Coordinates of all heavy atoms in Angstrom, one line a residue:
F53 N -12.9 -12.5 40.7 CA -11.9 -12.4 39.6 C -12.6 -12.6 38.3 O -13.3 -13.6 38.2 CB -10.8 -13.4 39.8 CG -9.6 -13.2 38.9 CD1 -8.6 -12.3 39.2 CD2 -9.6 -13.7 37.6 CE1 -7.5 -12.0 38.3 CE2 -8.5 -13.5 36.7 CZ -7.5 -12.7 37.1
T108 N 11.6 -17.0 41.4 CA 11.3 -17.9 40.2 C 9.8 -17.9 40.0 O 9.0 -17.9 40.9 CB 11.8 -19.3 40.5 OG1 11.2 -19.8 41.7 CG2 13.3 -19.3 40.7
N186 N 19.5 1.1 28.6 CA 20.6 1.5 29.4 C 21.3 2.8 28.9 O 21.6 3.7 29.6 CB 21.6 0.4 29.6 CG 21.2 -0.6 30.6 OD1 20.4 -0.3 31.5 ND2 21.7 -1.9 30.5
G229 N 28.5 19.6 6.7 CA 28.4 20.9 7.3 C 27.0 21.1 8.0 O 26.9 21.9 8.9
K236 N 29.0 22.2 16.5 CA 30.1 23.2 16.8 C 29.8 24.0 18.0 O 30.8 24.6 18.6 CB 30.3 24.0 15.6 CG 29.2 25.0 15.2 CD 29.5 25.7 13.9 CE 28.4 26.7 13.6 NZ 28.9 28.0 13.2
N309 N 22.7 -8.4 5.4 CA 23.6 -7.3 5.3 C 23.0 -6.0 5.9 O 22.0 -5.6 5.3 CB 24.0 -7.1 3.8 CG 24.7 -8.3 3.3 OD1 25.5 -9.0 4.0 ND2 24.5 -8.6 2.0
L389 N 5.0 7.3 11.2 CA 5.7 6.7 10.1 C 5.5 7.5 8.8 O 4.4 7.9 8.5 CB 5.2 5.3 9.9 CG 5.9 4.4 8.8 CD1 6.0 2.9 9.2 CD2 5.3 4.6 7.4
E421 N 6.4 19.9 0.7 CA 7.7 20.4 0.4 C 7.7 21.9 0.2 O 8.8 22.5 0.4 CB 8.3 19.6 -0.8 CG 8.6 18.2 -0.4 CD 8.9 17.2 -1.5 OE1 9.6 17.7 -2.5 OE2 8.5 16.0 -1.4
T452 N 17.3 11.8 0.5 CA 17.2 10.4 0.2 C 17.1 10.2 -1.3 O 16.5 11.0 -2.0 CB 16.0 9.8 0.9 OG1 14.8 10.3 0.3 CG2 15.9 10.0 2.4

Side-chain angles (χ1 to χ4, degrees):
F53 188 88
T108 58
N186 282 337
K236 70 188 184 133
N309 296 328
L389 184 148
E421 290 168 34
T452 65

